[in-house]
Each structure stands twice: as C-alpha cells, then as structure tokens.
Amino acid sequence: MNCRICGHDAEPFMSFGKMPIANGFLSPDQYDDEYFFELAPIFCINCSTFQLLEQPDPKMMFHDEYAFFSRTSKNMAKHFTEFAQSVMDGYLDDVSPLVVEVGSNDGILLDNFAKAGIRHVGVEPSGNVAEVARKHGVNTVTAFFDEDLVADVVSEYGQADALIAANVMCHIPDIHAVVQAAEKLLKPKGVFIFEDPYLGSMIEKVSYDQIYDEHVYIFSASSVANIFIHHGFELIDVVPQVTHGGSMRYVLARKGARDVSEVVAKQIETEHALGLHKRETYDQFRLNCEESRESLIRLLKEKRAEGASVVGYAATSKSTTVLNYCGIGPDLIDYISDTTPMKQGKFSPGTHIPVKDHDTFKSDYPDYAVLFAWNHEKEILANETLFMQSGGSWIVFVPCVSVRTE
Ligand code: DWN
C-alpha cells in the first residue's frame, strides 16, 4: 500500500482483524447485513504518518444517524470553552473576525464563539448532530468541508481568521484536499488550529482502542509538520492536551506569516527520543496490544468463573475495537451502560452486547464495570462513588489491565 500523504510504500505492521463500523450500533434484524472491513494500521517511515490501511466509505460512518454527540461530557464542555478562549485571545482580528469549524458536531466548541457574539460557521456532515447545534444557536451548515463549501463561505462571510477542528482531522482521509480548501479560506495571517488524539500517548499507554474506522490517522507533531509543509503551511505551536487520553493541539500558519514557537522543535525531538519514527516501535506496540488483549480476556474469564456480574461502562467508539479484537461478547459482558439515547436498546457493533441506559446500571450495580470511557475516568469516578461504595470495582485496560477497588 502507498502512504496516503506522500505515496511512499508503507506496509501494515499488525491487523486487528475484521472490524465493524465503530458507531454502528444495531438491532438484531440488521445482524445479517452487518458490514466488516480489515482494521490494520500502517506507518509511513518517509513522512512519519500513522494511518489505516483501509477505511470504510465516510458515508457509512457519518450520516443522519451518527451516534456520537460531543455534549455528553461536562469536562469536554469545559475543555472546549478553554480552547475557544485561547483562539479568541491569540488569533482573531479586532474587527469582525470569522471562525470556521470543520466537523462542528453538536456545536459544543462554536457555542463559545456564538455566546461571545463572534461570527462563526460550523461545517458538519451528520445532519442529526448539526440540527442539535442549530437548536443551540450555532450557525451550522450540513456539509463536508471542501473547496466548494469554502467558496460559498468566503462569498457570504469573507475570509476567516481561524479554521478550527477538534477530533476531526484524524477522520478525514483526503487531508490534502482539506488543506487546499483551508488555504483558500484563511486570511494571509489566518491560522488552522486542530487537536486530535496524540500518537505518542497512544504508543506509550498502549491505548490501541484509538484505532478504529473513523480514525484514519493518529497524528504526531512530526507528521503534521510534514503534511502541511507541502501546502506552504508551517507548524507554529503545539499544545499537549489531557483530553481523549492524551491529545495534541496543532497551530499552523502560512510559512513566514507568524512566529514559530520553540516548543515545536522540542516536541519533534521528544518524538525522536520516543522512537516514533522507527518501525521497531510499532512492532513493539503490536506485542503490547497482544499482551493487553490476553490479560483482559484472562481477567474477564476469571471473573465469570467466579460467578461475578460484569458490565461495560460507556459504549464508546473505542470499545468496538477492544470488544472485537479481544472477541468479547455477551458471554463475558452482560450489557453496556450508556447515556446516549440513540445507542440504548441497540447492540454493540460486531459483538452484539446489549446497550442499556444508565438507570439500569444505577438500579442494580454489577460486581465489575469495564471502563470503556477510560478517557473520562476522573468525571466518571466522581459521578459513580455509590457504585464503589456498594462494593463494585472497575476493570481498566489502559495503560494496563487491572481491577480498581478505590
Ligand atoms: O473522535 C471521536 C471522539 C472524540 O469521540 C469520535 N470518532 C467519536 C467519539 O469517540 P468515543 O465514542 O470513544 O468517545 P467518548 O467520549 O470516549 O465516549 C462517548 C460515549 O460514552 C457516549 O456514547 C456516551 C458515553 N458516556 C457514558 O455513557 N457515560 C460517556 C460518559 C462521559 C459517561 O459518563
């Protein structure tokens, strides 16, 4: 296979096997037609980009029944308020600035600009979540972000000061097309700021569940610098984030348009020290994933053999990779509790574990809950003190498989 970014040869270093659509929660009458593809990551030694060998058609993942709504987490809402403030403080013109967001979901980030009276446009392909954004007063277009869309935005509003994205760029296979469109959208000193799960954190924590259909790339500072330089953009700042188990915010501007922070070179040096540019790092990652899988299966079988009740906590996209890669089905997990109404009453993709509402969890605590939303651990553990007080324990698998009783 050739690297999507630079065309260099890039071989898969592992396969997670056949995988369904990560957010494809379904009902039993849909089991026969369930779609599967091979989930295999590849790493390009030439441009340092970690990517998927194969990705399903975007229309199969992002549509009018997309099951992920960003507003589900209070901590994420707080995070996005801080993100918006950093954009307002550092990168907007004094007079009538414009902010455009790619993949604005339910408007959780743009809300902050709307409330501050800043002109904004959200671009969101999934109609149902875009509708939620509009109900919150966020100006949103239901569309994929491309040059045609940019031409419409520029003719209606003019060029933008900032193009922003959160947990979106890693979903878009033709990233060159996005950067070309960004080039047309942004003012001469305009910035493109985006954040996504960070490759260094994933490798370090063995959080292989970040790898699923939607995440066609897992970026690093090195890969982002390499991708954008082809389009005359340079990486001017990087800001590590704790969200999603370790993310990175990247700030890009036209080459020479703005000062480059010294932290950029430092981050790229750190990535070299971590070996993120080397094939051996990914061979070791594969071994670490296999070890994590063995430990999780062993632990769940042990608990079942003891007669314990075990449920999943949060039917995350990430859980689809864990459950299918480890072959964990209703024999090992009774149900998954999730707060998203669209997922409740359905079954997990591929492994067909029932998804139930949070009241089911609260009304009869299980002995163990597998923390699939480990990235929201702080928020969840604070909300679920009663579960632990009544003798329940958490099963976690990142950074390693263990049982938590406190
Ligand atoms: O990039 C992506 C990230 C940002 O969000 C997407 N491709 C999809 C999504 O990934 P995820 O599903 O792994 O995200 P979360 O935020 O880890 O999990 C969200 C799910 O967890 C929702 O279905 C709601 C559920 N949840 C819950 O049931 N109780 C979440 C929390 C915090 C809770 O307390």
Side-chain angles (χ1 to χ4, degrees):
M1 141 103 194
N2 293 332
C3 168
R4 285 185 176 79
I5 301 300
C6 68
H8 197 266
D9 268 357
E11 289 304 311
F13 56 87
M14 72 180 290
S15 171
F16 290 95
K18 290 288 172 203
M19 207 50 76
I21 299 293
N23 272 303
F25 294 87
L26 70 179
S27 30
D29 61 333
Q30 296 172 306
Y31 289 170
D32 286 348
D33 296 327
E34 195 170 7
Y35 174 84
F36 288 87
F37 72 104
E38 193 194 349
L39 182 68
I42 61 179
F43 180 75
C44 177
I45 295 286
N46 189 47
C47 68
S48 291
T49 307
F50 187 104
Q51 57 203 280
L52 292 188
L53 175 70
E54 194 186 325
Q55 195 194 30
D57 183 340
K59 293 196 177 79
M60 294 183 70
M61 300 179 283
F62 309 112
H63 41 64
D64 289 351
E65 287 177 38
Y66 187 54
F68 178 71
F69 293 79
S70 299
R71 288 176 195 264
T72 47
S73 160
K74 286 203 180 79
N75 277 6
M76 287 308 292
K78 191 165 161 265
H79 167 77
F80 285 129
T81 298
E82 284 159 11
F83 183 171
Q85 196 58 52
S86 76
V87 176
M88 292 180 212
D89 291 345
Y91 301 104
L92 303 187
D93 274 356
D94 294 339
V95 182
S96 194
L98 175 69
V99 177
V100 177
E101 183 179 0
V102 190
S104 45
N105 198 277
D106 55 17
I108 189 172
L109 173 54
L110 279 184
D111 229 6
N112 297 284
F113 295 94
K115 286 184 180 130
I118 292 172
R119 293 188 312 137
H120 62 275
V121 182
V123 184
E124 171 53 54
S126 296
N128 60 332
V129 284
E131 191 49 36
V132 175
R134 282 190 282 269
K135 281 192 181 130
H136 281 86
V138 175
N139 181 28
T140 307
V141 188
T142 304
F144 282 99
F145 181 85
D146 57 20
E147 287 195 41
D148 290 345
L149 182 278
V150 162
D152 291 347
V153 170
V154 173
S155 81
E156 189 170 349
Y157 304 92
Q159 283 189 305
D161 299 70
L163 175 63
I164 57 176
N167 305 303
V168 166
M169 291 300 286
C170 69
H171 296 69
I172 304 177
D174 189 359
I175 206 155
H176 291 307
V178 174
V179 189
Q180 274 157 19
E183 219 280 319
K184 298 209 160 62
L185 176 72
L186 290 170
K187 291 177 180 173
K189 287 192 75 148
V191 286
F192 188 177
I193 309 177
F194 68 92
E195 57 184 42
D196 275 307
Y198 179 56
L199 181 64
S201 305
M202 185 187 82
I203 296 293
E204 240 175 340
K205 294 181 179 170
V206 198
S207 46
Y208 65 86
D209 56 350
Q210 288 293 1
I211 303 169
Y212 53 89
D213 55 2
E214 296 178 16
H215 289 176
V216 64
Y217 301 110
I218 307 285
F219 295 120
S220 61
S222 312
S223 61
V224 168
N226 287 336
I227 293 166
F228 279 76
I229 202 73
H230 290 299
H231 299 277
F233 278 81
E234 64 186 343
L235 187 56
I236 61 164
D237 202 3
V238 285
V239 191
Q241 307 293 323
V242 294
T243 49
H244 290 289
S247 297
M248 188 65 77
R249 184 175 301 157
Y250 307 96
V251 185
L252 296 124
R254 286 188 181 84
K255 197 161 172 34
R258 287 180 179 263
D259 292 342
V260 178
S261 162
E262 60 189 22
V263 299
V264 173
K266 282 194 187 136
Q267 190 63 38
I268 291 175
E269 264 170 44
T270 304
E271 292 176 356
H272 252 71
L274 272 172
L276 291 190
H277 59 300
K278 290 195 291 198
R279 164 72 193 230
E280 300 90 87
T281 302
Y282 301 95
D283 289 334
Q284 184 58 50
F285 176 68
R286 172 174 52 77
L287 297 175
N288 294 345
C289 292
E290 287 166 5
E291 198 179 309
S292 172
R293 170 173 65 179
E294 294 320 310
S295 309
L296 183 59
I297 297 171
R298 201 179 318 118
L299 179 63
L300 292 178
K301 286 190 171 161
E302 205 178 282
K303 297 302 169 201
R304 269 304 203 228
E306 289 167 6
S309 54
V310 182
V311 311
Y313 194 98
T316 60
S317 321
K318 299 182 289 295
S319 68
T320 296
T321 295
V322 178
L323 295 168
N324 285 275
Y325 175 57
C326 299
I328 298 167
D331 53 326
L332 293 176
I333 291 190
D334 299 326
Y335 68 88
I336 306 173
S337 156
D338 195 281
T339 51
T340 310
M342 264 185 87
K343 296 182 185 176
Q344 296 158 2
K346 294 202 171 160
F347 293 78
S348 64
T351 52
H352 306 160
I353 300 170
V355 180
K356 302 197 174 178
D357 62 12
H358 185 245
D359 284 348
T360 307
F361 179 77
K362 277 196 306 193
S363 61
D364 184 14
Y365 285 130
D367 299 315
Y368 295 93
V370 183
L371 188 57
F372 287 123
W374 56 270
N375 46 309
H376 299 291
E377 177 179 326
K378 222 170 141 192
E379 179 173 354
I380 292 172
L381 265 54
N383 288 339
E384 299 293 359
T385 47
L386 263 181
F387 166 55
M388 296 181 86
Q389 280 164 14
S390 55
S393 305
W394 295 100
I395 292 179
V396 293
F397 50 91
V398 174
C400 48
V401 176
S402 62
V403 176
R404 295 244 184 103
T405 45
E406 58 186 65

